[in-house]
Short mmCIF file of all heavy atoms in Angstrom, two decimals:
data_model
loop_
_atom_site.label_atom_id
_atom_site.label_comp_id
_atom_site.label_asym_id
_atom_site.label_seq_id
_atom_site.Cartn_x
_atom_site.Cartn_y
_atom_site.Cartn_z
N LEU A 13 4.14 11.04 -9.24
CA LEU A 13 3.98 9.56 -9.45
C LEU A 13 2.85 9.10 -8.50
O LEU A 13 2.78 9.43 -7.39
CB LEU A 13 5.28 8.90 -8.94
CG LEU A 13 6.57 9.36 -9.81
CD1 LEU A 13 7.79 8.61 -9.19
CD2 LEU A 13 6.37 9.00 -11.21
N PRO A 14 2.03 8.16 -8.97
CA PRO A 14 0.90 7.64 -8.27
C PRO A 14 1.38 7.05 -6.97
O PRO A 14 2.49 6.37 -6.86
CB PRO A 14 0.23 6.56 -9.16
CG PRO A 14 0.61 7.12 -10.57
CD PRO A 14 2.00 7.73 -10.39
N LYS A 15 0.68 7.14 -5.90
CA LYS A 15 1.04 6.65 -4.58
C LYS A 15 1.32 5.16 -4.53
O LYS A 15 2.37 4.73 -3.96
CB LYS A 15 -0.04 6.93 -3.59
CG LYS A 15 0.35 6.53 -2.17
CD LYS A 15 -0.61 7.02 -1.14
CE LYS A 15 -0.37 6.68 0.36
NZ LYS A 15 0.69 5.88 0.65
N ASP A 16 0.52 4.39 -5.29
CA ASP A 16 0.81 2.93 -5.23
C ASP A 16 2.09 2.60 -5.82
O ASP A 16 2.91 1.68 -5.36
CB ASP A 16 -0.29 2.13 -5.88
CG ASP A 16 -0.59 2.56 -7.39
OD1 ASP A 16 -0.34 3.62 -7.72
OD2 ASP A 16 -1.01 1.64 -8.16
N ILE A 17 2.65 3.31 -6.93
CA ILE A 17 3.93 3.12 -7.45
C ILE A 17 4.96 3.57 -6.51
O ILE A 17 6.00 2.83 -6.29
CB ILE A 17 4.09 3.93 -8.81
CG1 ILE A 17 3.17 3.24 -9.86
CG2 ILE A 17 5.52 3.89 -9.30
CD1 ILE A 17 3.09 3.88 -11.18
N ARG A 18 4.82 4.73 -5.89
CA ARG A 18 5.76 5.27 -4.85
C ARG A 18 5.96 4.22 -3.70
O ARG A 18 7.06 3.89 -3.29
CB ARG A 18 5.37 6.56 -4.37
CG ARG A 18 5.42 7.82 -5.29
CD ARG A 18 5.26 9.09 -4.71
NE ARG A 18 4.22 9.19 -3.63
CZ ARG A 18 3.05 9.59 -3.85
NH1 ARG A 18 2.65 9.95 -5.10
NH2 ARG A 18 2.11 9.70 -2.91
N ASP A 19 4.82 3.70 -3.30
CA ASP A 19 4.87 2.72 -2.20
C ASP A 19 5.53 1.47 -2.59
O ASP A 19 6.33 0.95 -1.79
CB ASP A 19 3.44 2.47 -1.62
CG ASP A 19 2.82 3.65 -0.91
OD1 ASP A 19 3.58 4.63 -0.55
OD2 ASP A 19 1.58 3.56 -0.67
N ASN A 20 5.09 0.92 -3.84
CA ASN A 20 5.62 -0.29 -4.29
C ASN A 20 7.22 -0.26 -4.41
O ASN A 20 7.80 -1.29 -4.21
CB ASN A 20 4.97 -0.62 -5.64
CG ASN A 20 5.43 -1.98 -6.07
OD1 ASN A 20 6.45 -2.11 -6.68
ND2 ASN A 20 4.61 -2.99 -5.71
N LEU A 21 7.71 0.93 -4.84
CA LEU A 21 9.14 1.08 -5.08
C LEU A 21 9.84 1.65 -3.83
O LEU A 21 11.05 1.97 -3.80
CB LEU A 21 9.37 1.94 -6.28
CG LEU A 21 8.98 1.31 -7.60
CD1 LEU A 21 9.18 2.42 -8.66
CD2 LEU A 21 9.83 0.07 -7.86
N ASP A 22 9.01 1.88 -2.77
CA ASP A 22 9.55 2.50 -1.52
C ASP A 22 10.33 3.83 -1.75
O ASP A 22 11.38 4.05 -1.26
CB ASP A 22 10.56 1.50 -0.85
CG ASP A 22 10.80 1.92 0.58
OD1 ASP A 22 9.94 2.61 1.27
OD2 ASP A 22 11.89 1.74 1.12
N LEU A 23 9.68 4.67 -2.64
CA LEU A 23 10.14 6.01 -2.87
C LEU A 23 9.74 7.00 -1.82
O LEU A 23 8.64 6.98 -1.42
CB LEU A 23 9.70 6.49 -4.28
CG LEU A 23 10.12 5.58 -5.52
CD1 LEU A 23 9.47 6.16 -6.72
CD2 LEU A 23 11.65 5.60 -5.65
N LYS A 24 10.64 7.79 -1.44
CA LYS A 24 10.43 8.72 -0.33
C LYS A 24 10.62 10.12 -0.94
O LYS A 24 11.41 10.35 -1.90
CB LYS A 24 11.42 8.53 0.87
CG LYS A 24 11.31 7.10 1.45
CD LYS A 24 10.06 6.79 2.06
CE LYS A 24 10.14 5.48 2.72
NZ LYS A 24 8.79 4.80 2.79
N PRO A 25 10.06 11.19 -0.26
CA PRO A 25 10.37 12.60 -0.61
C PRO A 25 11.82 12.84 -0.75
O PRO A 25 12.50 12.44 0.20
CB PRO A 25 9.68 13.46 0.38
CG PRO A 25 8.48 12.64 0.96
CD PRO A 25 9.14 11.09 0.90
N GLY A 26 12.19 13.52 -1.81
CA GLY A 26 13.74 13.82 -1.92
C GLY A 26 14.47 12.71 -2.71
O GLY A 26 15.76 12.90 -2.90
#
Side-chain angles (χ1 to χ4, degrees):
L13 299 177
K15 183 172 181 357
D16 59 332
I17 290 175
R18 294 191 317 265
D19 290 346
N20 186 272
L21 294 173
D22 195 31
L23 297 175
K24 305 292 185 213

